[in-house]
Amino acid sequence: MAQGLDANAQPASPVLPGYWESSEQYSLALLSGASHARKCLTQAQVAQFVSSPQTSHYQCSYKSRKVEGGRADFRDGSCYSHRGRLVLSKVEVDGRYAPETFHLDFHFKFMVSPTAGLPGSASIDAHRLGAECPVEPTAGR
């Protein structure tokens, strides 16, 4: 006999919080670059990632979002600077995820004026290093 789900239970997070390592690459017109980072992701940051992938520089929203079965699909996104200027339009995100890894591909228009944009792309590959984040040294020690 199948057991019922608890109506108050929170759905399991598709990506676990903890200490993560990521590699990012981007390409925009004649520019390209890459970065590598290690970062502690809290449960709140994981929830934000699942609801609306963003960058540390831009606030993004998507008209269409589907995250299930190891696949992530975000469509018709717009990203704004902290000052409210449209920076990225027509943002599309395709990805795959597991509790301890994810890969995202981004395609977008980088807005050089209110009506003109340059095509761009980016990708993120990340894996979880562990459940615990390292303790940051206290300043002055």
Side-chain angles (χ1 to χ4, degrees), residues 60-79:
C60 303
S61 62
Y62 301 85
K63 291 184 180 176
S64 169
R65 161 182 99 74
K66 185 175 181 180
V67 178
E68 67 182 25
R71 303 288 304 164
D73 181 50
F74 297 85
R75 296 284 175 251
D76 201 12
S78 299
C79 300

Side-chain angles (χ1 to χ4, degrees), residues 79-87:
C79 300
Y80 293 85
S81 71
H82 296 293
R83 293 183 177 157
R85 184 177 77 82
L86 177 63
V87 179

Side-chain angles (χ1 to χ4, degrees), residues 48-55 60-62 74 79 93 104 106:
Q48 176 63 48
F49 160 76
V50 171
S51 69
S52 184
Q54 341 242 327
T55 73
C60 303
S61 62
Y62 301 85
F74 297 85
C79 300
V93 182
L104 298 175
F106 296 80

Side-chain angles (χ1 to χ4, degrees), residues 23-28 30-36 121-123:
S23 295
E24 302 177 17
Q25 296 182 342
Y26 71 89
S27 176
L28 177 65
L30 299 175
L31 301 173
S32 64
S35 65
H36 185 81
S121 63
S123 67

